[in-house]
Amino acid sequence: TNEIRRSFHMFNNRPLGATGGACKNQEDITIRRAGFGITFADNHPWNTSAQSHTFTQSSDRAELAAIVWIMERTPIALWILCDNEWVVDTMAKMAHSHLRITRKLAYADLWRRAHKAHTQLKQLTGEEVPVVVQKVKGHTESSHVRLGVITQLEQDLSNQADNLATE
């Protein structure tokens, strides 16, 4: 585990990563295509991107799919940066057992997978909240760093994840 931790940027004693979700042609349901990106550090082996292969194509679903992908594949507690407020808020509800997953919840299939992965990670890591998802401002500029809205590292990781999402 120490070897794995050395390859990451760390935040609050957890590896730090970022997700990005994107959807091309989002206004046209017949041709829109979504994907996600995940990054931990330059050229990190866990960095990845994927296209959505479901009927529903949206940036919200892509961003959530990125977090589910991480949770299902990582054996350690993580700190994830995400610029999608809905995903961040709903993940917090799930992490603290305040989320009812019903058919009416958007992307209930992904939320069921997230809940299962969360439960497994809690058992594996012993952490009550094994994956912390933090809201960061998306699509920032250097002025946002100077003003303290976002750190340089947060901006770099978020931009890298967004770039991977549009590959």
Side-chain angles (χ1 to χ4, degrees):
T1 303
N2 286 337
E3 186 176 319
I4 291 172
R5 289 182 185 272
R6 278 194 292 269
S7 66
F8 292 100
H9 298 286
M10 300 296 287
F11 185 77
N12 285 348
N13 204 31
R14 293 172 182 233
L16 178 66
T19 61
C23 188
K24 295 177 184 173
N25 303 306
Q26 189 149 314
E27 64 283 348
D28 187 341
I29 193 170
T30 62
I31 62 170
R32 66 177 142 184
R33 294 294 172 258
F36 68 77
I38 302 165
T39 189
F40 290 93
D42 288 340
N43 302 311
H44 195 278
W46 286 8
N47 293 356
T48 193
S49 64
Q51 298 303 305
S52 177
H53 297 289
T54 62
F55 178 76
T56 305
Q57 302 274 324
S58 74
S59 57
D60 286 347
R61 184 177 177 89
E63 194 91 45
L64 174 58
I67 292 173
V68 171
W69 191 96
I70 292 169
M71 292 174 70
E72 290 177 336
R73 289 165 177 80
T74 56
I76 55 178
L78 298 169
W79 196 284
I80 301 298
L81 306 173
C82 176
D83 65 7
N84 185 304
E85 188 171 10
W86 174 75
V87 171
V88 172
D89 290 347
T90 311
M91 281 295 298
K93 289 177 186 174
M94 185 200 69
H96 298 288
S97 302
H98 301 299
L99 178 66
R100 289 190 55 221
I101 302 173
T102 67
R103 287 179 291 164
K104 292 181 182 180
L105 178 63
Y107 319 124
D109 60 319
L110 287 176
W111 286 114
R112 279 188 208 91
R113 287 173 51 196
H115 184 266
K116 180 179 178 183
H118 172 80
T119 301
Q120 291 172 337
L121 275 171
K122 275 176 68 171
Q123 293 170 347
L124 184 64
T125 65
E127 297 280 347
E128 188 61 30
V129 180
V131 177
V132 175
V133 183
Q134 175 189 329
K135 171 73 172 91
V136 292
K137 181 168 180 56
H139 315 285
T140 58
E141 300 173 2
S142 58
S143 62
H144 292 105
V145 174
R146 283 193 309 276
L147 293 170
V149 173
I150 192 168
T151 68
Q152 187 65 59
L153 178 59
E154 290 169 343
Q155 182 184 54
D156 291 346
L157 289 173
S158 184
N159 287 344
Q160 289 170 14
D162 284 344
N163 289 339
L164 285 170
T166 57
E167 282 188 343

